[in-house]
Amino acid sequence: MSQNPTVAAHEDPEKRPITQASLNDDVMKLISLPGKIWWAAFLLDLLVLAVALGAVRNLIVHGWGVSGFMRPVMWAVDITNFVFWVGIAHCGTLVSAVLFLFRSHFRRAVYRIAEAMTVFGVLTAAMFPAIHTGRPWFDYWLFPYPNQRQLWTNVRSPLEWDVFAVNTYLTVSSIFFLVGLIPDVAAVRDRAKHPLMKFLYTLLSFGWTGANYQWKHFYGAYLFFAALATPLVFSVHSVVSWDFAMAQTPGWHSTLFAPYFVAGAIFSGVAMVINLLIPIRKAFKLEHIVTIDHMEKLAKLVLLTSCMVGYSYLTEFFMAWFGPNAAERDVFWFRATGHYWWAFWTMFSCNVIFPLLLWLKPFRRNMTAMFILCIFVNIGMWFERFVIIVTSLTRSFNPANWFYYKMSFTEVCLIVGSFAWFFMFFLVFVRVLPAFSIAEIKETLPMPKRKGGHA
Amino acid sequence: MTRLIALLIAVATIASATVALSQSFNVRLGSTKGPEQPIAFSHKIHAGLLEMDCKYCHYGAANSPWANIPAVSTCMGCHKFAVTDRPEVQKLAGYWERGEQVPWVKVHYTPDHVKFNHKRHVRAGLECQTCHGPVQEMDRVYQYSSLKMGWCVTCHRQNLDNPKFPASMDCLVCHH
Amino acid sequence: MSDSVVFHRRDFLKLVGVGVAGTAAGCASPPAEKLIPYLVAPEDLLPGVPYFYASTCRECPAGCGLVVRTREGRAIKLEGNAKHPLGEGGLCARGQAGLQGLYDPDRVKTPLVKDGTGWKSITWDEAMALVAGKLGAAKGRTLLLTGLETGTLRSLAGEFAKTSAGRHVMWEPFGYECVRAANRATFGVDAVPRYDVGAARCVIAFGADFLETFASPVSQARGYAALRAKRDDGAGHFVTVEPRLSTTGANADEWVAPRPGSEFALALGLAHVIANEGLGSAAAERNALKGSLAAWTPEVVAQQTEVPAETITRLAKLFTQHGPSLAIAGGIGTQGTHGTALVAAVNVLNHVAGNTGRTVRFDRALDVSGLATFAQFANELAGMAAGNVDVLVVHGANPLYAAPAWAGAADAFAKVPFKVALVTSRDETSEACDLILPVSHALESFGDAWSARGVYSLQQPAMKKLPMFDSRPLGDLLIAFTKAAGGGAALPDSYHDLLRDRWKAMHTRFGKGRDFDTFWTESLAAGGVFEDVSEPAVRWGGTPSFAASERAGDGEFALVLTPSSNFYDGRGANKPWLQELPDMTSKTVWGSWAEIHPETAAKLGVKQGEPLKIETAAGSVEVPAYIYAGIRKDTVAIALGQGHTTFGRYATNRGVNAVSLLPQATDAASGALAYQGANAKLSRGAKAMELFQQQAEKDQHGRHIAQIVPLSALLAGSAGHGSEAPAHGAEGAPHGAAGAAKSHAGEAVGHYPAGEGVHVEPHPAMTRPGQHTEPKQRPEGWKPPAHAITAFEPEMKGRSAKNDPVVEGSYAHAKHRWAMSVDLNSCTGCAACVVACNAENNIPVVGPDLMRRGREMNWIRIDRFEERVAPGANDVRFVPMMCQHCGSAPCEMVCPVYATYHNPEGLNAQVYNRCVGTRYCSNNCPYKVRAFNWFDFSAPEKTTFAFPEPLNWQLNPDVTVRSKGVMEKCTMCIQRILEGKGHAKDEERAVRDGEIQTACAQSCPAQAITFGDLADPESAVHLKSFGERKYWVFQELNTKPGVTYLQKVTRDTMSEAQA
């Protein structure tokens, strides 16, 4: 692919000029035959995934006994991962749909990555409810379909709501993602050499020619889907939170959960976007497309949601102390001081204390610091779910059943594997689809001169 | 191109629909032939022609959850004397003399997590034929009804308000 | 599910020549499966229908009555025989587990002869020839060693001994030497009396674990319930005197912890006070005794026992103030160097208080005469060591395990040239023999047991001999031996015939004009004949002199060996049910542990479960420490029964054998082995080991799970006045629960509207069957809105208004509301219900590894909560915890596929084959009573298979064996409910109260569990569930449980004025 001649080592990457031409080159230079590093990363990823699949195989063949689960802790890492990845998935739609509706322009540079993350995030998340059952081969019973047994599903069960919430979200976010891709894929199509790739791009670009009426319909559709997706951001994670809130287990049974989970989801999601963007813009020298200002705006989003999450934590404890339920009080006291205190304090410091640094501008504009911080945030958010699930179950109503859950190798595989699964999609995505929205960024560029410009 | 896609989608839809529907109807499994038995015992002759009472041989039907297969001794009760010249009867006699049990091939299947109770149904006045079909016309017995859950439930639902023998829709009645 | 297991189940039928049999693994593999009919139909046996046989339990010397439930000729469940004077329908955990002795996969298959170090299997003919040869040669030098045998078998054994001019020695590790010796000395009778706990109004147990292993635990538990049911003022007190609070003692109102070995002094102290102050009803010889008691003033006793003098006087008053009282001494707790002294002292106490003949009765005295004392047994061993025995025949005794090494059993055996073991399963002793002959299990053979005066129990085979074990009945073998020894000309060949002959005598006594065969069959059906025996005149013989005994060996800790209520003396250790049944004190499973006081532990720097080294003169063991406040600081306790070296796969190399700690000491007066009275050194162990605990947390954190009500409050009229009641029950609780709360509240908890007195409120779980959860009755033509899918309407409504089971069908037709009540006042924590449930419901045993990881499968468990465990007022509460069958169940609402739902008769159903295994139900269950199949316990090919052949033959065909990945839980024995309703339908009548009994309710020795129909206002469960002590666990959660608990009544023994 043609390297942009204007790039020189010494000059400030932020200041690099963007022209219609250079933009296409810059974005599409990602889409090239993958190099050694990419392959290395990809194969490593698959290797990890293979190990994880081995663990899953054991779960299915031998039963969940191979995990560390026991009574009373019958959910732990499985649902933790589920909620974690659904959370990750949330930011995508938020950034692309909500910010689109608010016309906040900094999204243009970042939303493609975010959306991809959403789709892959949901794909990862959806696996866990599926494999966490004792008899996964009967999972299809969770779908209401006419059957000769004349049995129906229990629509009172939050798990049943999950089935619908997650599927809806997957469908809508994928469509949204694919629609947004159309013009860019068309551009890629026009450059594609390999017949197979050309064929695939043709499929995805739905015969896009860039005609005026197409643009008209495109933006119509895009607006429509944005509007459709926006409520989902809030509904889906609320439903997920009700898996817990609807149960009466102390530590779960709380009306706070829906907003608390949504905030948390966006929090972890944005952090994840940052974690993905920073290396990409560095590796592919796209600092002039995804500028520091863009990143800083994301950082502010992190800071905001961090505060919301922190507030939720404090509220939970306040309510436990203020409310009449002794069991509830026990659970929260146990969280902070009991057997899993380390998990709790990891969560608290990663999600509430460290992000406070973002009040300082230098931190928001220092990519290294941001990267590390966001890693912490993601760790913290994973532990948040772990703490909610495990500590609550460990300390349920009947003291005769208080036992401590110990993680086994299987669960470690599930955690690592979920990341491998996610990055498998992501690595491919970066190589085959435009990771930044050419079309939308171009809107911000001056119209090209007659001469020497690419269409 | 677009045609191809359309075709694929159409095929997929139809396929899944078929699966769903075939699930929904009580399609009867197995043929009307029934399995080959070690002795070509004919219910047509015994139950039909001779009008023997089913419960004479299947003596458990009215008193036990299990209908029971008659003992070889029961068969020999008559066939010591009756039509001893027939080859099939001689086969039977052979088993008797060797002191072997006849390895009848099972015809009706219910999974092990189903606890069906013959006694209750017979005492509620159900004809054997209601479930087992016109056995008196079968030379070789075959599984007449699907014996699938939907099939049971349909009948139970119709008799929910049966004044004398109200059927139950409670899962526990069969699954415990 | 579990086809393959079920296949084996069916395969068995073929073997007994019955009914349907699969010939291929997997029941739904069409072409393969065959139906195997009878060859010849048995007249009296209908496949698919249960048959019951009365018999006698042989798991311990008590010999309670049994009813064996059989299906297709297999024994599948043991139950107590309600008509039998011993047990009266109850059956303990050990008795329930008898089945696993019958189906023990490690049973001896064929006769085995030692060849070199290994064993060679031979035919019966060879074996008998071998024995005959040896017996012929060994004139006059034979020894027949058995456990306690009574009735016909004892006489037969006698004959064998006579003909071979040898001897028959009966030895029981838990022999009653001390009790017998003391009774000889004081009453001149050599017997173990019947302790009429029920008739007493105050019971003091001196280390007697009368609810676990001593004498007749089941009958005594029945009595205990009667004792605790006493409501009039000051009655029903129970005080325990022991250095370590046993499971029996845990039920007491007060725990007195005297210096180990000084208990007898305390008894004498009480007697002294009673005699001097002329308390209670005087006995004839009171004055005579007064003299001999003069020395034992409270002060003297106090400084001997470390029990304050005022306590002694107080107890004396308590003991005598209300009519007959009862002091019990006996069992392993008292078997020490001071044992006889203690029992004698307690006899004095009883006699002074005038209890002899009233609560200490010799009418149904246990028949233990002829039982060799340990000393005598040791002599026999010495004789053997001296080479006086040529042929040794052993049955039902395991000296190489149960006798301490210094008794010299090992080299005694080595000295005997030819030893025959008649066993069902190989144990340490049979390993030391030369020939092992497989004898049939008690449930496979005829026999009789005259375990107590006037109780002549019969034992009949409930099934054919298991085909894979080529065994012969013990009786037949003894007859054969006698004949081989050149005698027994008069004897018939089969023991069955002999039995009938011997029972001719019975016939003449009890025949009442019936011909023998009728008499015989009727006796068999009844489980034996039981004559009413009168109380023999027992008069005071004489008072032995008492002196404090010295503790043996050095070391600053007193070693207390406790009997295992699960394994008895260790004979039950090869039964997986019992291994997995938590010990009710430490809640540990599958191993040994040692109990030490927290302060002691702190001193030694040992934490819970860390290795503890116990050293005595005799030896040392390392076991995980269990830190327990219920033990003196200067005492260490360790349970007997574990540490087998050869006893089947379940017992071998598990834990330690505490007997190895016993230094060479016996009780001189009685010749009993001194289980108590040794000193031990404690130190931190080196081995890494783990304590497998089934319940770690014993504090209920004010969750009001186990509730009590002081007797005073009860008598004051307002139940729950000052009693506990869950906080915040009133808020949001329904009419029922709120009212119930009211009736509990009193001034104790301020959250309630002040309730005056008890006014019966509708039970929360019903006014009409399932009022709260099952559909409401609707007026004619009422059409629900399509969206009306609520907790109160089944989803059917939303789907088809045409067929609407809400206004028609099952729910409308529901006549019953099955429910249960559990009386914590009589529950002793014996856990018989747990094993009964295991047996009835095909519950897999998961083993130590999974138990450690919290994978318990039991449907019912006994939660132990310790409110106050310290000398003085004692408050330990046992709560049988099973599915509460909630009226509005948290689990039902969260199951996405209706695998769990509410059935029309109020049961919380679990449909295994619909379960997908999301485990949400368990997470949402406040009681945590749901068990998940983590592995495939039902697939033979898996390593986790829980029913190795032939254990799978015990499986109840009416209950599905659950497979991997499904949730399971208590069903209130739905199979029994359906069976009962079936009977009622057949006879065209309504179900009678008490006709249907769950396995746990049936088994409960104390009858603490009542099952029945709440909708029937006459039913026992209805009356109890509406009684004044009723409460619901976590009622503040508004789950509307179908299980009602009755508060434990606590009695104040500490305050001086009782009346």
Side-chain angles (χ1 to χ4, degrees), chain A residues 151-231:
Chain A
L151 293 171
W152 209 241
T153 55
N154 179 3
V155 289
R156 277 182 293 154
S157 166
L159 284 186
E160 196 58 30
W161 309 345
D162 267 0
V163 172
F164 290 100
V166 173
N167 284 309
T168 317
Y169 193 54
L170 180 57
T171 323
V172 173
S173 54
S174 326
I175 295 175
F176 197 41
F177 176 57
L178 292 174
V179 169
L181 270 170
I182 292 175
D184 293 6
V185 172
V188 181
R189 174 197 59 195
D190 302 342
R191 283 196 182 190
K193 307 251 177 324
H194 193 289
L196 175 67
M197 298 311 285
K198 204 168 187 65
F199 170 71
L200 292 174
Y201 290 129
T202 321
L203 277 186
L204 283 175
S205 57
F206 293 95
W208 178 270
T209 59
N212 192 25
Y213 73 94
Q214 287 185 327
W215 282 107
K216 184 160 157 295
H217 292 311
F218 172 72
Y219 277 116
Y222 199 77
L223 183 63
F224 169 73
F225 282 118
L228 191 67
T230 307

Side-chain angles (χ1 to χ4, degrees), chain A residues 59-76 78-79 129 132-142 145 147 149-161 163 242-250 252 324-331 389 393 395-403 406 408, chain C residues 1 693-703 705 727-728 731 789-791 793 795-796 799 850 852-858 861 863-865 881 890 892-898 900 912-920 922-936 942 963-967 1034 1036-1037 1039:
Chain A
L59 282 178
I60 294 169
V61 174
H62 301 304
W64 267 89
V66 300
S67 74
F69 292 20
M70 36 67 139
R71 195 168 77 195
V73 185
M74 293 238 177
W75 287 351
D78 50 353
I79 303 300
H132 101 286
T133 57
R135 305 199 291 172
W137 49 95
F138 286 133
D139 283 347
Y140 67 93
W141 284 350
L142 270 71
Y145 67 99
N147 58 62
R149 291 182 229 95
Q150 307 184 19
L151 293 171
W152 209 241
T153 55
N154 179 3
V155 289
R156 277 182 293 154
S157 166
L159 284 186
E160 196 58 30
W161 309 345
V163 172
W242 291 334
D243 281 349
F244 309 108
M246 289 292 156
Q248 60 179 355
T249 314
W252 284 7
N325 187 340
E328 186 92 359
R329 226 170 291 134
D330 278 13
V331 169
I389 295 172
L393 290 175
R395 221 65 176 174
S396 63
F397 286 104
N398 189 346
N401 259 280
W402 286 354
F403 288 105
K406 241 204 254 83
S408 81
Chain C
M1 313 189 144
Q693 271 194 300
Q694 177 256 9
Q695 176 188 355
E697 181 63 53
K698 303 215 172 46
D699 174 3
Q700 60 173 332
H701 292 256
R703 301 285 171 94
I705 297 165
H728 328 296
E731 286 90 327
I789 297 171
T790 72
E793 329 283 345
E795 284 51 33
M796 193 59 63
R799 290 173 58 202
L850 291 189
R852 188 179 76 247
R853 291 161 62 190
R855 273 81 183 282
E856 184 191 6
M857 293 302 290
N858 289 344
R861 56 171 201 268
D863 289 348
R864 176 189 169 109
F865 293 117
M881 184 54 69
E892 288 166 11
M893 168 273 206
V894 297
C895 176
V897 294
Y898 282 122
T900 185
Y912 312 121
N913 45 310
R914 177 64 170 171
C915 180
V916 181
T918 64
R919 306 188 295 284
Y920 199 170
S922 172
N923 286 345
N924 205 21
C925 173
Y927 310 92
K928 289 284 178 278
V929 287
R930 293 176 151 262
F932 184 68
N933 286 270
W934 296 101
F935 288 107
D936 210 333
K942 292 279 175 71
S963 68
K964 170 184 69 189
V966 306
M967 193 62 74
F1034 302 137
E1036 68 272 26
L1037 297 178
T1039 52

Side-chain angles (χ1 to χ4, degrees), chain C residues 34 391 399 493 495 695:
Chain C
K34 299 273 193 291
V391 177
D493 283 345
Y495 182 66
Q695 176 188 355

Side-chain angles (χ1 to χ4, degrees), chain C residues 10 53 68 358 505 516 565 712 856 890 905:
Chain C
R10 297 182 173 181
Y53 299 95
V68 187
R358 295 170 76 186
F516 179 73
S565 57
S712 50
E856 184 191 6
E905 300 183 341

Side-chain angles (χ1 to χ4, degrees), chain C residues 662-1004:
Chain C
L662 290 179
Q664 187 150 5
T666 55
D667 174 17
S670 67
L673 170 60
Y675 283 101
Q676 317 299 344
N679 284 328
K681 282 205 217 64
L682 294 188
S683 57
R684 203 176 189 297
K687 288 208 215 84
M689 46 184 62
E690 206 170 352
L691 191 67
F692 305 139
Q693 271 194 300
Q694 177 256 9
Q695 176 188 355
E697 181 63 53
K698 303 215 172 46
D699 174 3
Q700 60 173 332
H701 292 256
R703 301 285 171 94
H704 304 288
I705 297 165
Q707 295 185 21
I708 57 162
V709 52
L711 181 61
S712 50
L714 220 45
L715 295 174
S718 73
H721 169 93
S723 82
E724 308 174 356
H728 328 296
E731 286 90 327
H735 179 55
K742 205 183 293 173
S743 64
H744 283 310
E747 295 82 39
V749 182
H751 292 92
Y752 300 109
E756 55 288 329
V758 195
H759 49 100
V760 173
E761 295 280 350
H763 189 289
M766 70 141 311
T767 45
R768 191 188 64 70
Q771 181 205 28
H772 298 282
T773 48
E774 292 135 22
K776 296 199 183 67
Q777 297 299 303
R778 299 294 193 189
E780 269 319 304
W782 181 84
K783 280 273 162 287
H787 65 270
I789 297 171
T790 72
F792 300 138
E793 329 283 345
E795 284 51 33
M796 193 59 63
K797 178 183 283 297
R799 290 173 58 202
S800 91
K802 194 165 86 276
N803 265 331
D804 186 348
V806 177
V807 294
E808 311 150 20
S810 342
Y811 282 80
H813 288 305
K815 293 186 194 63
H816 312 283
R817 203 309 181 188
W818 303 117
M820 196 177 264
S821 81
V822 182
D823 189 344
L824 299 189
N825 194 39
S826 34
C827 176
T828 67
C830 73
C833 48
V834 179
V835 183
C837 181
N838 287 350
E840 174 72 17
N841 293 304
N842 304 341
I843 293 167
V845 167
V846 299
D849 192 39
L850 291 189
M851 283 303 276
R852 188 179 76 247
R853 291 161 62 190
R855 273 81 183 282
E856 184 191 6
M857 293 302 290
N858 289 344
W859 287 1
I860 179 173
R861 56 171 201 268
I862 311 282
D863 289 348
R864 176 189 169 109
F865 293 117
E866 297 172 354
E867 290 296 311
R868 186 182 186 285
V869 176
N874 176 60
D875 188 356
V876 177
R877 310 173 188 179
F878 294 107
V879 187
M881 184 54 69
M882 76 298 282
C883 173
Q884 304 287 301
H885 293 270
C886 304
S888 90
C891 55
E892 288 166 11
M893 168 273 206
V894 297
C895 176
V897 294
Y898 282 122
T900 185
Y901 72 99
H902 214 71
N903 101 327
E905 300 183 341
L907 294 179
N908 169 254
Q910 175 72 26
V911 183
Y912 312 121
N913 45 310
R914 177 64 170 171
C915 180
V916 181
T918 64
R919 306 188 295 284
Y920 199 170
C921 50
S922 172
N923 286 345
N924 205 21
C925 173
Y927 310 92
K928 289 284 178 278
V929 287
R930 293 176 151 262
F932 184 68
N933 286 270
W934 296 101
F935 288 107
D936 210 333
F937 299 115
S938 59
E941 70 276 12
K942 292 279 175 71
T943 52
T944 47
F945 185 48
F947 312 99
E949 190 85 5
L951 274 179
N952 52 0
W953 295 16
Q954 180 273 329
L955 293 173
N956 182 351
D958 292 336
V959 178
T960 311
V961 181
R962 285 75 60 187
S963 68
K964 170 184 69 189
V966 306
M967 193 62 74
E968 62 182 70
K969 62 158 201 64
C970 162
T971 62
M972 278 198 182
C973 291
I974 177 67
Q975 67 280 6
R976 287 174 174 233
I977 295 176
L978 291 171
E979 194 184 2
K981 283 165 72 182
H983 290 321
K985 275 191 193 141
D986 295 345
E987 296 163 22
E988 287 169 343
R989 56 169 174 84
V991 178
R992 293 194 204 93
D993 182 36
E995 171 179 29
I996 304 176
Q997 286 221 309
T998 59
C1000 50
Q1002 197 289 326
S1003 181
C1004 182

